[in-house]
C-alpha cells in the first residue's frame, strides 16, 4: 500500500500517513483501501455521507469542501413534489434543479463549476459502511489521479471532461 499512500501524499489528499497505515490492510484491493481511508476520515476533501442524507442537507458541507466560488453557492428554495427541486443561486446564475439523489446533486455541482479553476471537482468513490464516499479534488490533480489504478470513481467520465485541456 506504500504506492497508494505515496500517490495520495503527492496529490495532497492524505491527512495523516501514520494513521492511514494503521487503517489499511495489505491484502485488499486499492480501490477498497481508498474507501476505507475515506471512511476513517483520512482523506483531505473527503466526505462520508450517510444514506439517509437528503441532497439539500449535503449542500453546505459539500460546497465548503469544493472551495473557491462554490462557497458562495446558495439554495433559495426547496420544493419536494413531485420531485425534489432546488432553486439555486451561484453568482449571477439562478437555476432550478430537479435532484432525485446525491449523485444528481454531485453531477449538477460539477457541471455548474466546470470552468472555475478554484473549485474542486467531486469524485464519487463509492459506497462503504452505509455511506456514500465523495472526494473533492483540485482539477489540476485530476489528470494524474485518473491514471492511478486505485482511483476508480463512479463518475469517471464526468471527471475526465473536467480535466484541464493542455
Amino acid at each position: 500500500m506504500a504506492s497508494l499512500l505515496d500517490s495520495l501524499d503527492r496529490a495532497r489528499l492524505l491527512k495523516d500517513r501514520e494513521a492511514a497505515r494503521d487503517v489499511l490492510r495489505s491484502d485488499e484491493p486499492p480501490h477498497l483501501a481508498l474507501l476505507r481511508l475515506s471512511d476513517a476520515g483520512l482523506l483531505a476533501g473527503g466526505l462520508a455521507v450517510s444514506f439517509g442524507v437528503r441532497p439539500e442537507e449535503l449542500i453546505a458541507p459539500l460546497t465548503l469542501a469544493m472551495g473557491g466560488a462554490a462557497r458562495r453557492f446558495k439554495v433559495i428554495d426547496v420544493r419536494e413534489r413531485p420531485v425534489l427541486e432546488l432553486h439555486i443561486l451561484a453568482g449571477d446564475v439562478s437555476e432550478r434543479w430537479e435532484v432525485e439523489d446525491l449523485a444528481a446533486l454531485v453531477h449538477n455541482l460539477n457541471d455548474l463549476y466546470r470552468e472555475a479553476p478554484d473549485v474542486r471537482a467531486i469524485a464519487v468513490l463509492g459506497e462503504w459502511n452505509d455511506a456514500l464516499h465523495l472526494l473533492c479534488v483540485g482539477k489540476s490533480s485530476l489528470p494524474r489521479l485518473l491514471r492511478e489504478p486505485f482511483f476508480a470513481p463512479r463518475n469517471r467520465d464526468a471527471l475526465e471532461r473536467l480535466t484541464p485541456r493542455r
Side-chain angles (χ1 to χ4, degrees):
M1 289 299 157
S3 65
L4 170 63
L5 296 180
D6 291 341
S7 294
L8 292 172
D9 259 346
R10 277 193 304 276
R12 296 189 176 130
L13 293 173
L14 196 57
K15 289 182 180 177
D16 182 340
R17 189 178 178 104
E18 294 304 313
R21 275 196 193 118
D22 294 340
V23 167
L24 297 179
R25 298 179 184 158
S26 60
D27 61 337
E28 66 189 346
H31 69 280
L32 185 57
L34 192 62
L35 286 170
R36 288 171 50 75
L37 290 171
S38 176
D39 192 56
L42 294 171
L43 295 179
L47 293 164
V49 184
S50 172
F51 288 142
V53 170
R54 294 168 41 102
E56 74 272 19
E57 296 170 325
L58 179 59
I59 287 173
L62 189 53
T63 54
L64 182 64
M66 291 172 74
R71 289 185 176 157
R72 294 184 295 280
F73 183 92
K74 292 184 176 22
V75 176
I76 305 301
D77 192 19
V78 177
R79 302 284 168 112
E80 294 196 33
R81 291 194 172 81
V83 70
L84 182 67
E85 182 182 87
L86 304 177
H87 180 194
I88 65 100
L89 182 63
D92 57 357
V93 174
S94 176
E95 297 180 344
R96 293 190 185 276
W97 292 351
E98 286 189 5
V99 183
E100 62 189 49
D101 58 15
L102 299 179
L105 175 65
V106 166
H107 170 79
N108 286 357
L109 286 168
N110 275 338
D111 188 53
L112 179 66
Y113 292 108
R114 70 185 168 275
E115 300 295 326
D118 65 330
V119 176
R120 294 176 196 91
I122 311 161
V124 180
L125 299 179
E127 298 172 3
W128 180 260
N129 277 351
D130 296 327
L132 179 66
H133 292 269
L134 307 174
L135 180 62
C136 294
V137 179
K139 291 179 186 122
S140 62
S141 299
L142 274 176
R144 184 176 58 246
L145 269 175
L146 288 166
R147 288 190 302 269
E148 295 285 355
F150 67 84
F151 192 67
R154 289 183 176 176
N155 61 336
R156 180 181 196 85
D157 291 343
L159 293 175
E160 286 174 347
R161 288 190 296 273
L162 293 176
T163 59
R165 303 288 179 227
R166 298 199 175 172

